């Protein structure tokens, strides 16, 4: 029999586990497995690993130790997260939410022994997608049109701005309706993250209230980074929100981000800017930051944000006013801002106010700031470009970031299933 791949997936979705084995090799035979993928932004990626088959001529990627390659420890997902973009390759057309096909190629030296493809959906075909451009809103509504009113979750991106659909699409694939909501940096929305009105979130809630597919009594919000700050803030102001998830969030309101952000809050409500944290930063921290910019090294903002928040009680979000459970996720090596410490501020405040609902902060000590949809390559998750030739240090490492993304996502699904689908109030 010819060597072949054996692939099983618990479902076609990208966030589910898989089994990957190679069979029918010679005992103790050395082979190479290559992986190739074109992502939904048109970028080509590839990875590889060299293995020695066991005494029965098999390789189980969950337990097999790579002899060499783009990752170095047994990991069934290693070929997926360790991919790097192909250099000098022109991006092709963008195909948002299209199923991702990863080609696996089994080789003995230069001889191709077997080829297979692993196809993973980023959204279930049962989910309907509706672009929203009403009442000044810019978003995408993912819903189950024929299922009646369902628990609904507003999904907010971070300081990158624009409309990000991947988390909302995948979450909707697990039985929720979701609204991916942009709040700056696209179309007619504010150009910069400066004085963004919470009234905009209120408008989105009103839109959902008028939508027959949304069960407004089971409304959640899920935000990442600055979107996590906005999620906590929105839930503290609008009691109709009954469950909150924050990926690498802040429980403190910070200054806006942009050319016009100097001395200005990120948020406002009813025409009034919200108090923001801007404590004194030691000169040595500022000096190190300027040095990194000057030498074109990746920039860590962690210490700057940490000092900004120290003693700034007036800028803390009144999370005790949130009318439901709260789940916070952070990385212990977050170099963009100290989401681990900022999340603990939230927990401390909830504890001091005897918050009557469930709350938890889950920290992944070796992960950084990059918490996104699981299943994608993470080799670019440690450092991120930030215009003008600058690079932001996000922290963590590709392997631990990948594992944290997968584990965190499972926690998010369990949380919303428990606290939105079973609520009776």
């Amino acid at each position: 029999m010819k060597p072949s791949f054996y692939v099983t997936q618990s479902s076609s979705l990208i966030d589910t586990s898989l089994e990957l084995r190679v069979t029918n090799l010679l005992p103790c035979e050395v082979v190479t497995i290559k992986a190739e993928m074109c992502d939904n932004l048109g970028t080509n990626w590839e990875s590889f690993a060299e293995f020695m088959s066991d005494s029965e001529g098999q390789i189980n990627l969950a337990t097999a130790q790579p002899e060499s390659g783009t990752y170095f420890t047994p990991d069934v997902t290693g070929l997926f997260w360790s991919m790097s973009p192909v250099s000098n390759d022109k991006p092709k057309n963008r195909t948002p939410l299209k199923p991702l096909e990863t080609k696996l190629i089994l080789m003995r030296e230069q001889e191709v022994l077997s080829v297979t493809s692993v196809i993973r959906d980023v959204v279930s075909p049962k989910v309907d997608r509706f672009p929203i451009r009403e009442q000044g809103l810019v978003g995408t509504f993912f819903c189950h049109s024929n299922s009646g009113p369902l628990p609904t979750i507003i999904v907010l991106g971070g300081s990158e701005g624009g409309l990000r659909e991947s988390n909302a699409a995948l979450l909707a694939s697990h039985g929720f309706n979701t609204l991916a909501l942009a709040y700056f940096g696209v179309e007619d929305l504010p150009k910069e993250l400066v004085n963004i009105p919470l009234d905009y979130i209120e408008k989105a809630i009103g839109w959902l209230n008028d939508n027959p597919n949304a069960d407004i009594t089971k409304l959640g919000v899920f935000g990442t980074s600055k979107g996590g700050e906005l999620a906590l803030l929105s839930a503290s102001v609008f009691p109709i929100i009954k469950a909150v998830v924050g990926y690498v969030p802040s429980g403190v309101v910070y200054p806006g981000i942009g050319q016009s952000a100097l001395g200005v809050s990120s948020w406002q409500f009813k025409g009034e800017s919200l108090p923001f944290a801007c404590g004194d930063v030691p000169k040595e921290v500022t000096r190190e930051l300027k040095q990194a910019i000057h030498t074109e090294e990746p920039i860590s903002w962690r210490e700057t944000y940490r000092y900004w928040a120290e003693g700034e009680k007036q800028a803390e979000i009144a999370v005790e006013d949130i009318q439901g459970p709260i789940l916070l996720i952070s990385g212990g090596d977050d170099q963009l801002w100290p989401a681990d410490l900022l999340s603990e501020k939230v927990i401390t405040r909830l504890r001091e106010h005897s918050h009557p609902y469930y709350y938890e902060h889950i920290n992944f000590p070796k992960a950084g700031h990059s918490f996104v949809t699981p299943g994608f390559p993470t080799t670019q998750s440690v450092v991120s470009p930030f215009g003008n030739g600058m690079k932001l240090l996000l922290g963590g490492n590709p392997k631990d970031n990948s594992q944290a993304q997968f584990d965190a996502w499972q926690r998010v699904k369990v949380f919303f299933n428990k606290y939105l689908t079973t609520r009776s109030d």
Side-chain angles (χ1 to χ4, degrees), residues 109-302:
E109 295 182 346
Q110 300 303 312
E111 179 187 2
V112 176
L113 302 177
S114 181
V115 178
T116 192
S117 288
V118 178
I119 298 175
R120 299 173 298 160
D121 291 329
V122 295
V123 62
S124 167
K126 298 179 181 179
V127 173
D128 297 313
R129 176 185 179 275
F130 298 101
I132 305 303
R133 301 295 188 275
E134 302 173 23
Q135 304 174 29
L137 300 173
V138 177
T140 303
F141 188 52
F142 295 94
C143 72
H144 303 258
S145 300
N146 299 320
S147 297
L150 289 175
T152 299
I153 301 161
I154 298 172
V155 182
L156 304 165
S159 59
E160 73 279 0
L163 180 59
R164 307 290 171 167
E165 297 185 357
S166 55
N167 277 349
L170 189 56
L171 197 54
S173 303
H174 292 281
F176 303 97
N177 294 330
T178 59
L179 175 62
L181 188 65
Y183 54 94
F184 83 101
V186 65
E187 298 181 21
D188 294 330
L189 295 178
K191 301 302 180 186
E192 297 181 316
L193 206 171
V194 177
N195 259 335
I196 303 300
L198 296 188
D199 316 66
Y200 180 77
I201 302 297
E202 187 175 37
K203 189 180 297 183
I205 293 171
W207 185 90
L208 288 170
N209 190 45
D210 293 335
N211 191 299
N213 290 299
D215 184 348
I216 202 68
T217 67
K218 297 177 179 179
L219 179 64
V221 62
F222 175 17
T224 300
S225 192
K226 285 295 286 188
E229 180 183 324
L230 179 55
L232 289 167
L233 188 57
S234 298
S236 74
V237 173
F238 307 119
I240 196 169
I241 297 174
K242 300 301 183 184
V244 185
V245 171
Y247 266 3
V248 290
S250 170
V252 173
V253 172
Y254 275 117
I257 299 175
Q259 297 295 319
S260 59
L262 186 62
V264 183
S265 180
S266 294
W267 322 107
Q268 62 172 305
F269 186 47
K270 305 298 184 186
E272 295 289 332
S273 292
L274 301 186
F276 60 95
C278 202
D280 293 332
V281 178
K283 291 181 179 179
E284 59 268 24
V285 173
T286 302
R287 190 182 309 118
E288 290 175 4
L289 188 66
K290 290 180 178 179
Q291 178 68 14
I293 295 172
H294 178 71
T295 58
E296 298 184 350
E297 293 292 315
I299 302 163
S300 171
W301 285 93
R302 180 182 175 91

Side-chain angles (χ1 to χ4, degrees), residues 379-411:
T379 53
Q380 311 297 299
S381 67
V382 179
V383 175
S384 175
F386 189 66
N388 298 323
M390 289 196 301
K391 295 179 180 179
L392 295 178
L393 185 61
L394 303 181
N397 63 79
K399 177 179 174 59
D400 286 297
N401 288 348
S402 173
Q403 188 62 59
Q405 289 170 7
F406 184 84
D407 291 350
W409 185 257
Q410 310 313 314
R411 303 285 192 116

Side-chain angles (χ1 to χ4, degrees), residues 355-369:
H355 190 62
Y357 303 94
Y358 166 87
Y359 55 90
E360 184 177 9
H361 169 213
I362 301 172
N363 177 257
F364 295 87
K366 296 182 179 180
H369 187 77

